[in-house]
Amino acid sequence: FANTIEACEEWSNFYHQSGFVTFQSHSRLSRDQRQTSVSSFKEAGKSVMVSTSILAEGVDIGRVSLVLIVGIPYTVEQYVQ
């Protein structure tokens, strides 16, 4: 999870350039684009999803082996999610 859309895009580009299949989810994407991104991430196997907190709110991804929070969360609630 990243605090800003810009950080989300930067981290996604970093992982993509490092050879990972990457997906993004943030508020600049339409709801359909975010849903497509999540669906593609679920089907992709080994891949990286970089998101703002928009994805933390009620979306069930399923099997995820690692979750990273990039940057200091603005609130304790963001960290606990």
Side-chain angles (χ1 to χ4, degrees):
F1 290 100
N3 286 337
T4 65
I5 294 169
E6 292 76 16
C8 184
E9 292 171 341
E10 289 174 15
W11 281 101
S12 181
N13 289 335
F14 169 79
Y15 283 112
H16 180 74
Q17 290 174 0
S18 298
F20 291 92
V21 176
T22 61
F23 302 94
Q24 293 183 42
S25 183
H26 52 70
S27 62
R28 281 195 195 145
L29 300 175
S30 70
R31 183 182 188 108
D32 287 342
Q33 289 173 311
R34 291 192 305 266
Q35 288 175 337
T36 299
S37 185
V38 169
S39 296
S40 298
F41 174 69
K42 288 179 179 181
E43 296 172 7
K46 292 185 179 181
S47 57
V48 175
M49 169 65 78
V50 184
S51 177
T52 59
S53 62
I54 198 165
L55 189 62
E57 299 168 4
V59 176
D60 183 17
I61 298 292
R63 293 175 32 190
V64 175
S65 59
L66 180 65
V67 175
L68 298 174
I69 298 174
V70 181
I72 299 171
Y74 295 123
T75 66
V76 172
E77 289 79 17
Q78 285 180 318
Y79 181 77
V80 173
Q81 288 179 10

